[in-house]
Amino acid sequence: MAELMAAGEEPEILFWVGCAGSYDERAQKITRDICKILHHVGIKYAVLGTEESCTGDPAKRAGNEFLFQMQAMTNIEVLNAYNIKKIVTGCPHCFNTIKNEYPGLGGTYEVIHHTQLIQDLINEGKLKAEGGESFKGKKITYHDPCYLGRGNGIYEAPRKALEVLDAQLVEMKRCKSNGLCCGAGGAQMFKEPEKGNKDINVERIDEALQTNPQVIAAGCPFCMTMLSDGIKLKDKEQEVKVLDIAEITARANGL
Amino acid sequence: MVAQILFLVLTLAAIALFTVNLRKIIRNIRLGKPVDRKDQPQKRLMTMLRVAFGQSKMVVRPIPAFLHFFVYIGFVIINIEVLEIIIDGLFGTHRIFNGLGGLYNFLIGSFEILAFTVWGSCAIFLVRRNILKLKRFSGVEMKSWPKSDANYILITEILLMSAFLLMNAADAKLQLLGASHYVNAGAFPVSQYLINILPSSESALVILERSCWWFHIIGILAFLNYLPYSKHFHILFAFPNTYFSNLEPKGEFTNMASVTNEVKAMLDPSFVPAETEPGKFGAKDVTDLSWVNLMNAYTCTECGRCTSVCPANITGKLLSPRKIMMDTRDRITEVGQNIDKHGAEHQDGKSLLDDYISREEIWACTSCNACVEACPVNIDPLQIIMELRRFAVMEESQAPGSINAMMGNIENNQAPWKYSPADRFNWAQEN
């Protein structure tokens, strides 16, 4: 972003990578695929690089409003300094925080999740599913991230991105507004679960496996971790792939 | 005449007692912190019409939705009959509305059918709770009083409907016998089947009819006064509760203005915050919660839809969103009783956090909003959990160790993990 600024240019959209997308090895792949999609359709985008920092979401959900607002105000200063208008992000937590909680602190932007961007590109005819891996007839089940689905009512965009694949979409018993959490939200990602009789991600994976999928589609780096761990635990890594919608889209287009 | 005076006294006493208790509840709710829920009146009205009147969130579970709909419609419509009973009781008349003619017959006929469906639905509800033992109706919080409360409500409704039908049957038989005072009025599509089992003597029928009439109205007045102590209070509070419910996206949590001031002052030394009263961060006790949280607690009818979809509860953790609401109501009731007994300044040394809700419960929440989504009357247990967490973290610094580590990482590395900020852009180099 700093380079664009120095060149006196402004991006169409800022890609907010997020901490998971930046540091988590599995999520980095998703980040790179989002970039490939943006590049493929010729959108002029920028990233903040080392100037990006945590949105404050996990601190806020853990109850630390101080830390959240410190992070938020610092980020808003950076975003406003670059005159950012539109943001796309690969993380529903970053998405929810910037979209809903930053405006009250002085940061108002048009914020979309990458599945919404993919849906828009499909609708505009700029993105298809051709030239790459075929998902035709494959059984795919989509897991709704809480902060995208219930949190913000986005259920259709990710499904739309899967519909173009001509795959066989199967819904889990608990889906859309009734979707079961992967177990990572509310800062659970960073702590051991409380005492119980089962881990939440295992409960969810059991349900996903009941649909006999070849692919479990995700739209959130934290869900990705929880679902992948569940699949590993069930020793199903060979038969069932957990893939982000961005990865599926990139593969289908041979990017 | 004696009967009329007795009726008047009973009715006035019942209404007075109910008013006293209702005002106490409203006073208790007002102990909560202010929050503005008066914006967008039109949208609020539509939400109330859709969710409370229209029962839109009940349909997710069709069987109870269907049965509940009968009881709900029965409750709303049979109140027209109560109006007639009150006028008759006060003026010593009998079936005062019979002047409506055909319409009256239609009304009484529909009341009978509704009364019968209410009767049947309540009976099925009792079976679901006590014989089928549906999982949703069990749980640590559903022992003793909450369990009996549900059964008392259902049994009372069955008794009230039985009295209503039996009264009509006796009335119909008296009409057939041509008894004086019993004008020919009403249609009895259900109670006609009871006529044959009733005694044939006029005096016995009059006693039966009068007893049922008195039982029915005294029952209703008693039930009215049972409401403030019961989960059944939702029949009244569902309406304001949905009206004042949160209209923002569920993922959006409130930004604390008190914190904004301090953070601004920290980032910009020249910033002078507006004078605000120093207060607690988050909630330790019910009086630290907002009035909407407290109204939520009084509205909860303990149906357990929240708990049955809670990922923590499903996987055997202690957290139950229903218990969060029940604990909040129990505690605010206790605080209110303390005020009544010992005055407003009294402190009993107890609090919602720890004495009612444990740390283990609040830290098991994934903030997934499933409970909020599931509630048929838009109750928000998540907000209470978050306020308790805010207190634990910001006032006491008592978060689980790994949460503290995560927060330390954000403070030092601007990421929840222990990575250097300088490495943040490394993803672009690797393949």
Side-chain angles (χ1 to χ4, degrees):
Chain A
M1 184 61 226
E3 287 167 31
L4 269 188
M5 186 82 166
E9 292 181 56
E10 277 191 3
E12 278 176 60
I13 198 163
L14 179 91
F15 172 28
W16 183 276
V17 180
C19 300
S22 300
Y23 295 113
D24 181 274
E25 257 183 66
R26 181 69 189 80
Q28 284 177 344
K29 290 184 188 165
I30 305 168
T31 304
R32 288 192 285 266
D33 278 346
I34 295 175
C35 291
K36 284 177 194 164
I37 294 167
L38 287 164
H39 191 76
H40 173 68
V41 296
I43 292 179
K44 193 166 150 194
Y45 73 98
V47 294
L48 288 175
T50 51
E51 287 183 279
E52 193 184 284
S53 78
C54 173
T55 60
D57 162 83
K60 189 177 182 90
R61 313 299 139 183
N64 194 338
E65 183 73 8
F66 273 103
L67 186 51
F68 161 70
Q69 290 200 12
M70 289 288 283
Q71 288 298 118
M73 284 189 207
T74 315
N75 284 325
I76 289 167
E77 233 172 80
V78 173
L79 291 168
N80 287 351
Y82 285 127
N83 198 24
I84 299 300
K85 299 277 184 293
K86 190 171 179 184
I87 298 174
V88 63
T89 173
C91 172
H93 295 266
C94 298
F95 165 77
N96 174 68
T97 305
I98 303 175
K99 178 176 179 283
N100 296 322
E101 289 161 2
Y102 278 20
L105 301 169
T108 307
Y109 322 98
E110 184 192 345
V111 189
I112 55 170
H113 184 249
H114 69 285
T115 57
Q116 291 177 297
L117 177 74
I118 292 172
Q119 181 195 26
D120 288 345
L121 293 171
I122 290 170
N123 288 345
E124 290 163 18
K126 290 181 186 163
L127 198 58
K128 296 185 174 70
E130 52 188 33
E133 186 182 332
S134 171
F135 286 89
K136 196 172 176 186
K138 280 197 179 167
K139 244 186 178 182
I140 304 181
T141 189
Y142 170 67
H143 164 85
D144 286 279
C146 303
Y147 277 86
L148 197 61
R150 270 190 299 273
N152 287 287
I154 297 163
Y155 302 108
E156 288 315 312
R159 289 179 169 80
K160 183 88 187 173
L162 294 172
E163 273 166 24
V164 292
L165 302 170
D166 203 12
Q168 190 190 346
L169 299 183
V170 280
E171 293 289 356
M172 286 181 252
K173 212 173 138 216
R174 288 172 284 196
C175 64
K176 298 184 182 171
S177 63
N178 192 30
L180 182 75
C181 176
C182 71
Q188 296 293 334
M189 181 74 190
F190 307 99
K191 62 185 265 298
E192 286 305 310
E194 270 61 33
K195 200 158 78 339
N197 51 33
K198 197 175 184 181
D199 281 339
I200 296 173
N201 64 330
V202 178
E203 169 83 9
R204 187 52 164 170
I205 274 299
D206 282 340
E207 187 175 10
L209 290 178
Q210 277 173 20
T211 66
N212 281 319
Q214 284 154 296
V215 177
I216 299 173
C220 168
F222 297 110
C223 297
M224 173 57 73
T225 304
M226 300 306 274
L227 297 171
S228 304
D229 285 355
I231 284 291
K232 264 179 229 159
L233 191 87
K234 295 277 161 185
D235 216 8
K236 294 268 183 200
E237 285 168 283
Q238 296 309 314
E239 303 97 300
V240 187
K241 301 282 172 220
V242 187
L243 295 172
D244 190 276
I245 302 243
E247 294 178 296
I248 297 173
T249 306
R251 284 188 191 192
N253 287 281
L255 304 177
Chain B
M1 194 63 197
V2 179
Q4 282 166 258
I5 293 169
L6 183 65
F7 181 85
L8 181 69
V9 170
L10 276 177
T11 309
L12 288 180
I15 292 172
L17 185 61
F18 177 73
T19 311
V20 168
N21 280 325
L22 180 66
R23 288 176 67 140
K24 269 188 196 168
I25 287 176
I26 292 171
R27 176 205 62 190
N28 290 354
I29 290 173
R30 287 196 169 140
L31 294 173
K33 297 271 173 283
V35 52
D36 180 31
R37 288 283 168 88
K38 291 207 173 72
D39 58 319
Q40 312 178 62
Q42 223 167 354
K43 199 171 172 191
R44 295 195 172 281
L45 189 65
M46 290 314 291
T47 306
M48 180 175 82
L49 290 176
R50 194 179 66 246
V51 179
F53 277 101
Q55 316 245 307
S56 61
K57 289 176 89 179
M58 291 291 288
V59 295
V60 181
R61 299 178 195 232
I63 297 170
F66 190 67
L67 298 171
H68 182 270
F69 186 73
F70 282 134
V71 181
Y72 164 65
I73 288 292
F75 166 76
V76 173
I77 296 185
I78 293 172
N79 275 328
I80 305 173
E81 169 71 13
V82 175
L83 184 67
E84 183 184 49
I85 290 180
I86 288 176
I87 297 175
D88 281 348
L90 290 177
F91 300 103
T93 48
H94 188 69
R95 295 195 181 268
I96 183 83
F97 292 159
N98 77 46
L100 297 171
L103 179 63
Y104 186 74
N105 288 357
F106 171 76
L107 282 175
I108 295 293
S110 358
F111 296 157
E112 284 223 334
I113 292 167
L114 283 169
F116 182 67
T117 54
V118 171
W119 198 101
S121 300
C122 289
I124 298 171
F125 282 147
L126 276 175
V127 170
R128 283 163 60 89
R129 275 180 187 267
N130 299 289
I131 298 171
L132 299 177
K133 295 196 193 293
L134 264 67
K135 189 168 179 290
R136 180 153 64 86
F137 302 125
S138 62
V140 282
E141 68 274 26
M142 296 309 286
K143 305 267 169 12
S144 62
W145 165 248
K147 196 178 155 115
S148 347
D149 186 16
N151 286 331
Y152 294 157
I153 295 161
L154 293 171
I155 292 166
T156 308
E157 287 183 14
I158 287 176
L159 289 177
L160 288 176
M161 293 304 115
S162 306
F164 175 70
L165 291 171
L166 214 51
M167 172 185 89
N168 276 356
D171 197 309
K173 196 156 187 173
L174 284 162
Q175 290 180 26
L176 288 175
L177 292 175
S180 62
H181 196 64
Y182 288 91
V183 286
N184 265 320
F188 307 100
V190 178
S191 62
Q192 58 177 331
Y193 298 106
L194 300 170
I195 289 180
N196 286 335
I197 58 164
L198 297 184
S200 46
S201 98
E202 191 176 315
S203 59
L205 284 171
V206 171
I207 291 172
L208 182 66
E209 193 273 338
R210 284 292 90 189
S211 317
C212 287
W213 189 90
W214 280 101
F215 180 86
H216 184 65
I217 190 64
I218 292 174
I220 287 173
L221 295 174
F223 201 48
L224 177 72
N225 278 291
Y226 178 70
L227 291 183
Y229 303 95
S230 162
K231 78 190 194 81
H232 208 50
F233 206 49
H234 82 290
I235 62 173
L236 302 176
F237 264 37
F239 301 98
N241 198 70
T242 46
Y243 184 87
F244 292 115
S245 61
N246 180 27
L247 299 177
E248 304 307 320
K250 290 190 185 69
E252 178 179 342
F253 289 13
T254 53
N255 287 332
M256 295 169 71
S258 50
V259 170
T260 309
N261 277 334
E262 301 214 10
V263 172
K264 274 189 179 160
M266 255 189 280
L267 293 174
D268 175 11
S270 64
F271 175 79
V272 184
E275 277 300 312
T276 45
E277 251 181 81
K280 255 193 228 116
F281 293 121
K284 181 182 182 13
D285 206 354
V286 281
T287 45
D288 304 322
L289 294 169
S290 80
W291 65 270
V292 172
N293 299 146
L294 300 179
M295 181 175 60
N296 279 181
Y298 279 111
T299 308
C300 175
T301 195
E302 301 162 16
C303 72
R305 282 168 174 75
C306 51
T307 295
S308 73
V309 296
C310 171
N313 192 275
I314 288 170
T315 55
K317 277 94 181 167
L318 210 52
L319 174 63
S320 160
R322 169 172 55 190
K323 179 175 173 290
I324 300 288
M325 300 319 300
M326 291 167 69
D327 285 342
T328 304
R329 178 168 176 175
D330 288 349
R331 176 58 188 159
I332 186 65
T333 304
E334 185 177 53
V335 169
Q337 282 165 351
N338 282 339
I339 292 174
D340 292 337
K341 277 186 208 149
H342 311 288
E345 298 305 312
H346 178 79
Q347 300 285 335
D348 63 0
K350 287 163 81 175
S351 60
L352 181 65
L353 185 60
D354 294 332
D355 289 307
Y356 285 81
I357 299 171
S358 67
R359 312 272 164 160
E360 188 177 337
E361 290 166 71
I362 62 169
W363 287 111
C365 174
T366 69
S367 75
C368 77
N369 263 306
C371 54
V372 185
E373 179 77 36
C375 181
V377 290
N378 287 358
I379 290 171
D380 188 342
L382 176 54
Q383 216 172 54
I384 297 179
I385 296 172
M386 282 313 302
E387 289 302 324
L388 296 174
R389 278 190 184 183
R390 281 174 171 174
F391 179 83
V393 169
M394 288 191 281
E395 291 282 346
E396 302 182 309
S397 303
Q398 283 214 24
S402 45
I403 290 285
N404 278 330
M406 175 270 287
M407 294 190 296
N409 288 331
I410 294 181
E411 272 170 47
N412 299 320
N413 314 322
Q414 288 80 54
W417 296 287
K418 214 169 183 162
Y419 293 112
S420 159
D423 294 339
R424 191 177 265 274
F425 200 27
N426 289 1
W427 58 266
Q429 271 84 52
E430 294 158 27
N431 253 312

